[in-house]
Amino acid sequence: MEIVCDTNVWYHLGQNPPTEDFLSKHKLIGTFHSIDELSRTPNLLKHPEVTRKAIQALMTYSKGTIYEPPLVYLKRLDNPRFFFNPAQELLPILQFTKLVAKGHDIAEEKADAFKAHCQKRRDDLKLAADSFNSTAAAIKPNIKDKKKHRKEDSIPANRAFISMCVQLRTKDTELSNSFDWSQIELFENVLKVVFNDLETGAIVLKENDWFDLFNMIYVTPQRKYWTADTKWVNIIKRAGMEKYLFVPETEEAKENSDKLVTSEEKK
């Protein structure tokens, strides 16, 4: 079974290494999102050993790491010939995380620059979240019946939005008319719930929410998703996509999973 892991899972596995039996039954998959997040987290200053072990866990236990950013991954799902060279595009991130995994720490004289680097990431995420919150706030007064609004078929509009995002990110064409949307069934249905919640005022996006959501793009019908973030577990269930959730099999594993340290809590 292939399992796409949220970043909090790598923190967990860094502290609680999986057994050989577990690894023989499950193919854990790390993603660009987790690598990027672990390379630009204040945890590297606040909790360096915990974060180092999370990076080591990803490097050790991920047996099918997906290096493409999510929208590039979508483009390549649609057109496998679309060129993306991870070694070239992600070289600074990959080199940095390898150094951390080998025991290097951020030098004291570089701490302020690294904090600014991390803050830039958070500012960019907040900018994206604020944009959607503003749009949703403008839509909310026009919704007279929330139940009816939630039942409306927003999938065509959402697909156009996703396709536009792919075009902007890749500086190429939008997704083709033949794109197999069933490959991102989880993401598509969760996105619908998130947009509905935004538009009805049920939620306000926080800076890391958009990042967390897009990690689900990597989850195809042949994969499961492992996260300890209760908020996203509940949204996935509300979207009717519980079949994609990976739940540890033993009570001990479930208990450990409940104790996962999320990147948001660590910040």
Side-chain angles (χ1 to χ4, degrees):
M1 176 194 301
E2 293 190 348
I3 305 169
V4 174
C5 300
D6 194 358
T7 306
N8 51 46
V9 171
W10 299 117
Y11 276 105
H12 167 65
L13 296 178
Q15 301 297 311
N16 304 274
T19 64
E20 289 298 326
D21 181 62
F22 179 88
L23 292 174
S24 69
K25 296 176 181 176
H26 307 97
K27 180 180 179 180
L28 303 182
I29 298 177
T31 66
F32 162 83
H33 258 25
S34 289
I35 297 171
D36 184 58
E37 188 169 6
L38 288 167
S39 73
R40 294 196 285 171
T41 173
N43 290 345
L44 283 167
L45 296 172
K46 298 177 183 178
H47 311 279
E49 285 306 314
V50 170
T51 311
R52 188 188 329 280
K53 288 183 178 180
I55 293 172
Q56 291 170 341
L58 193 158
M59 291 180 172
T60 302
Y61 305 128
S62 174
K63 301 305 179 184
T65 304
I66 302 172
Y67 291 100
E68 295 98 335
L71 294 171
V72 175
Y73 175 77
L74 275 188
K75 182 66 179 181
R76 285 178 52 77
L77 269 184
D78 187 37
N79 177 15
R81 291 179 295 178
F82 180 79
F83 182 75
F84 180 80
N85 185 347
Q88 178 180 332
E89 299 288 340
L90 308 180
L91 184 60
I93 294 176
L94 297 177
Q95 288 180 332
F96 177 73
T97 50
K98 284 182 179 179
L99 287 173
V100 173
K102 290 179 178 180
H104 291 263
D105 290 318
I106 296 169
E108 185 176 348
E109 63 271 18
K110 295 183 178 180
D112 288 342
F114 183 74
K115 288 178 183 177
H117 177 61
C118 295
Q119 188 60 48
K120 174 65 166 57
R121 172 184 178 272
R122 298 187 72 170
D123 289 344
D124 289 343
L125 292 173
K126 186 176 185 304
L127 186 65
D130 288 348
S131 174
F132 280 93
N133 289 332
S134 297
T135 300
I139 293 174
K140 183 182 175 182
N142 299 319
I143 299 174
K144 307 304 180 184
D145 187 330
K146 292 183 179 181
K147 287 186 178 181
K148 182 179 179 181
H149 181 74
R150 289 182 180 279
K151 291 179 180 179
E152 291 176 358
D153 182 14
S154 60
I155 292 295
N158 292 349
R159 287 182 177 179
F161 166 73
I162 296 168
S163 189
M164 178 191 69
C165 289
V166 169
Q167 181 186 35
L168 292 173
R169 174 62 179 83
T170 62
K171 296 180 175 60
D172 200 82
T173 58
E174 296 185 351
L175 296 175
S176 69
N177 292 332
S178 60
F179 178 70
D180 183 3
W181 290 94
S182 70
Q183 291 299 301
I184 56 169
E185 180 186 35
L186 172 65
F187 173 74
E188 207 178 11
N189 282 275
V190 170
L191 182 68
K192 183 179 187 300
V193 171
V194 168
F195 277 175
N196 280 337
D197 283 354
L198 272 174
E199 291 162 0
T200 57
I203 64 170
V204 174
L205 283 181
K206 296 182 179 180
E207 59 195 40
N208 219 48
D209 286 343
W210 203 240
F211 200 78
D212 291 340
L213 174 61
F214 269 58
N215 198 41
M216 298 180 205
I217 282 177
Y218 302 110
V219 185
T220 65
Q222 294 75 40
R223 295 169 179 159
K224 299 283 188 179
Y225 190 54
W226 189 5
T227 180
D229 192 323
T230 304
K231 174 178 66 180
W232 288 111
V233 169
N234 290 336
I235 291 177
I236 289 170
K237 289 179 178 180
R238 286 174 52 217
M241 295 289 107
E242 187 173 0
K243 64 183 180 181
Y244 282 98
L245 286 171
F246 172 73
V247 180
E249 298 171 358
T250 66
E251 290 302 317
E252 181 181 3
K254 289 179 183 178
E255 182 180 350
N256 284 336
S257 182
D258 290 339
K259 297 177 182 177
L260 293 184
V261 181
T262 69
S263 56
E264 194 64 29
E265 290 171 338
K266 278 285 190 180
K267 290 176 181 174

